Amino acid sequence: MAHLTLGILDGDDIGLEIVPASVRVARAAAARAGLDIDWRPMPIGRRALDTHGSTMPDGTLEALAAMDGFILGPIGHRAYPKGPGAINPHPILRKHFGLFANVRPTRSYPGLGALFDDVDLVIVRENNEGFQPDRNVVAGSGEFRPTEDTTISVRVITRQGSYRVARAALEIARARRRKLTLVHKNTVFKLGCGMFVEECYRAAEQFPDVTVDEVIVDTFAMRLLRDPQTFDVVVTTNMFGDILTDEAAGLVGGLGMAPGLCIGEGATAMAQAAHGSAPDIAGRGIANPFAMIESTRMMLDWLGRDRGVAQAVAAAALMGRATVAALARPETRTGDIRGTTGTAGMTDAIVNAIKTETDHVLA
């Protein structure tokens, strides 16, 4: 039987609800598809700080390195107490495993309150450079305050980082509608965005079957609200991508509909929804599990294709069909997307759809 080893990092707040929901769905799909998954829970976040003295305990990175991939729940690092063990695990995981591409799809579904029909695009965001000060230098910080009245933030753009995220986006575009849009601001950031655009076009030389165009970031933000259906795959720098993917989520029902997958050239992948830990609704059983379930589905599909594990691809397809079925009915989706059930009810509906799918559909 085909086999994968996957880590489970629940995270904080609603992560303690939606990550177990995702694992339940993935277990059901794997069982139907004939995929054996060795699930390995790992401590992380506030619970790990309380029990192990660190939000990223010693040995976690080494253990994850031996796995095929892992699920990372939302991290509530803004509420962590100050101290040496209270660190934000996000950038550490992304940089340690070379997960330089953050793949964030946006799709509209009927009846959920989407602002537009027929939205189906993917934003590929560079993950390890840019303005974010916790991931753009090896030591120290990319943001500092030389005087009480002055703060300086440094944006790092490299040729290697730009080229490799462009290649990742081009691969995705080739598998979809063969159109890639570069989003940048080289009219102002002539060197930084200029280099990014140069490397994107250099990568595109290897993909003559993909049509490439470019849009200035402020124009793209406007067009995303006006005609999002015209875009297929988009590639951009870190902070632009972080902002634009939240805007895109707003078009299709909110951050509960915003999945994500972090990938690189290495041997692992990280399923990570775009939303935060939502402490205001934690423990109430109303969190939308879609983004986390879909992130997990994306990971299984990517791992299956990367490793030639057909059962993982089949399990991902099962998850996708069952999730779409649950989204189609108000009684099997959560209240934030015009539904009447909670986290458990939506999860139950998806699991039941997987278990009852007929064999001729599976084939």
Side-chain angles (χ1 to χ4, degrees):
M1 179 179 287
H3 176 85
L4 291 175
T5 301
L6 301 177
I8 305 171
L9 297 91
D10 285 337
D12 300 310
D13 303 317
I14 64 167
L16 305 178
E17 303 165 62
I18 61 174
V19 171
S22 302
V23 173
R24 272 195 65 206
V25 172
R27 283 183 187 273
R32 287 296 316 263
L35 175 67
D36 177 50
I37 301 179
D38 179 9
W39 295 99
R40 299 187 181 180
M42 301 293 298
I44 201 166
R46 181 56 192 258
R47 282 188 170 182
L49 180 66
D50 294 340
T51 57
H52 292 72
S54 174
T55 55
M56 177 70 77
D58 291 342
T60 297
L61 295 176
E62 292 78 5
L64 292 174
M67 302 180 193
D68 295 291
F70 53 95
I71 303 172
L72 175 65
I75 299 294
H77 63 92
R78 294 182 63 183
Y80 291 167
K82 295 187 182 299
I87 55 178
N88 180 4
H90 283 162
I92 296 172
L93 290 165
R94 290 169 176 172
K95 292 185 72 172
H96 182 83
F97 292 108
L99 304 174
F100 55 79
N102 194 347
V103 182
R104 293 183 171 184
T106 298
R107 181 180 173 187
S108 56
Y109 296 88
L112 273 61
L115 298 183
F116 294 90
D117 296 327
D118 303 319
V119 176
D120 182 11
L121 62 91
V122 177
I123 296 178
V124 183
R125 163 198 176 200
E126 199 291 318
N127 222 11
N128 288 335
E129 298 182 348
F131 267 121
Q132 279 80 339
D134 55 6
R135 66 194 72 164
N136 64 9
V137 295
V138 173
S141 174
E143 188 173 54
F144 56 97
R145 183 170 295 166
T147 74
E148 284 299 319
D149 302 315
T150 303
T151 299
I152 298 174
S153 297
V154 178
R155 184 172 77 146
V156 174
I157 302 291
T158 69
R159 290 197 181 277
Q160 180 193 38
S162 301
Y163 181 84
R164 63 188 185 180
V165 75
R167 276 196 63 92
L170 285 158
E171 292 282 5
I172 294 169
R174 173 176 277 172
R176 285 171 51 91
R177 301 194 297 273
R178 301 192 176 190
K179 180 181 178 183
L180 178 68
T181 301
L182 319 180
V183 173
H184 59 85
K185 187 79 170 180
N186 70 357
T187 51
V188 175
F189 300 105
K190 297 182 183 297
L191 297 181
C193 281
M195 179 183 290
F196 176 77
V197 172
E198 289 170 9
E199 291 303 311
C200 286
Y201 278 118
R202 186 167 73 89
E205 292 174 1
Q206 307 300 316
F207 295 80
D209 53 330
V210 177
T211 300
V212 179
D213 64 359
E214 54 182 287
V215 181
I216 301 300
V217 64
D218 39 341
T219 302
F220 180 83
M222 180 271 294
R223 287 188 57 190
L224 193 58
L225 295 177
R226 189 187 68 186
D227 53 358
Q229 302 94 333
T230 62
F231 298 108
D232 180 19
V233 179
V234 176
V235 65
T236 190
T237 53
N238 199 332
M239 184 168 287
F240 290 166
D242 199 18
I243 296 168
L244 292 172
T245 50
D246 278 19
E247 181 190 4
L251 300 178
V252 298
L255 283 172
M257 301 300 296
L261 180 69
C262 295
I263 57 174
E265 295 172 345
T268 193
M270 177 172 73
Q272 181 189 20
H275 59 71
S277 66
D280 55 322
I281 63 169
R284 296 170 57 190
I286 63 173
N288 183 351
F290 171 84
M292 198 73 256
I293 292 171
E294 178 65 6
S295 300
T296 304
R297 186 206 66 78
M298 291 169 64
M299 178 179 65
L300 286 180
D301 185 71
W302 188 88
L303 289 172
R305 295 180 190 281
D306 182 68
R307 288 156 173 72
V309 181
Q311 294 89 338
V313 177
L318 273 167
M319 292 176 67
R321 292 192 294 269
T323 302
V324 170
L327 290 175
R329 297 183 296 152
E331 63 269 25
T332 54
R333 61 181 189 244
T334 51
D336 61 306
I337 46 175
R338 299 185 177 181
T340 58
T341 192
T343 310
M346 185 169 174
T347 305
D348 288 343
I350 297 171
V351 169
N352 290 336
I354 291 170
K355 290 181 176 179
T356 58
E357 186 164 351
T358 59
D359 289 336
H360 78 274
V361 173
L362 284 171

